Amino acid sequence: MKSLDRLGSKPASLPLSADDVVEFHAARLLLLFHLCGTANRIDGLTKMAKLDFFVRYPDFFEIARAAVAKQLEDAAPTHQENDSGVESAMVRHHYGPWDKRYYHVLAHLEARRLLDVTRNGKSYRLALTPAGVVAAKTLRERPSFASLAERMRVVKRTFGSKSGNVLKNLIYRLFNDEVGQRELGERIER
């Protein structure tokens, strides 16, 4: 019998990274639909991914926010001292930043009746169910999610009214080296 080390598995005693836990991503997306969406929904996977990108990459968000600040009243930086930057990295995909786990996490939320995913023409409408709204409100009120929730509120104020395509083009224009010039599937670093 081969040992686990030779099979490439990690020993069970090693700690899990939050990045490896589906529920970590599910909680963030619940909050994203609730706080960055309109009426607890986001229309389109592209818009969902781009809003999530700005939530997950605070430095990129601040640069993009400054680029559109002329149109906004509130352009003060949103970084908080305990803001640790990128918690979970994304990769370069055909339409900009993407997380390969999205389909798995969205199915996880849908199976738990927290999210309805429906076809809307060529796009998808991702809407929290009543149970999803309750779960998102519960998360929003927890101190451990306070910083994330506040960042999401600012992301929504800044980019919530923009389409996924507008956000994708903005990301490619501002972050061509960091995102646009990466190979497909390559990790986006900041």
Side-chain angles (χ1 to χ4, degrees), residues 48-181:
M48 176 201 71
K50 301 324 164 243
L51 291 171
D52 194 32
F53 170 74
F54 286 125
V55 167
R56 290 163 72 169
Y57 288 83
D59 291 342
F60 286 140
F61 172 66
E62 288 301 332
I63 293 166
R65 189 168 182 248
V68 299
K70 293 174 189 163
Q71 304 161 9
L72 302 172
E73 288 179 36
D74 175 26
T78 60
H79 277 296
Q80 297 177 359
E81 285 187 31
N82 62 353
D83 209 347
S84 60
V86 179
E87 214 169 281
S88 176
M90 298 174 85
V91 298
R92 163 65 162 56
H93 193 61
H94 296 288
Y95 304 107
W98 186 255
D99 190 327
K100 294 176 183 181
R101 293 169 290 228
Y102 281 144
Y103 294 119
H104 179 75
V105 175
L106 293 173
H108 175 88
L109 291 170
E110 196 172 23
R112 280 152 185 79
R113 302 186 196 291
L114 300 172
L115 182 71
D116 280 329
V117 179
T118 55
R119 202 78 179 162
N120 186 19
K122 293 181 179 181
S123 187
Y124 289 94
R125 174 169 283 171
L126 306 133
L128 293 180
T129 64
V133 172
V134 169
K137 286 180 178 179
T138 300
L139 291 170
R140 180 190 72 200
E141 298 305 319
R142 292 197 173 166
S144 57
F145 286 97
S147 176
L148 180 63
E150 182 53 33
R151 187 177 329 143
M152 286 183 178
R153 287 181 188 98
V154 178
V155 168
K156 179 182 175 129
R157 278 195 309 266
T158 308
F159 295 122
S161 65
K162 308 284 187 214
S163 72
N165 198 45
V166 166
L167 295 175
K168 174 194 63 141
N169 291 338
L170 177 70
I171 289 167
Y172 278 144
R173 182 171 56 84
L174 295 176
F175 311 115
N176 188 49
D177 291 341
E178 299 89 341
V179 177
Q181 295 303 313

Side-chain angles (χ1 to χ4, degrees), residues 18-28 101 104-105 108-109:
D19 207 29
D20 296 330
V21 179
V22 170
E23 291 82 1
F24 167 75
H25 299 286
R28 187 188 66 254
R101 293 169 290 228
H104 179 75
V105 175
H108 175 88
L109 291 170

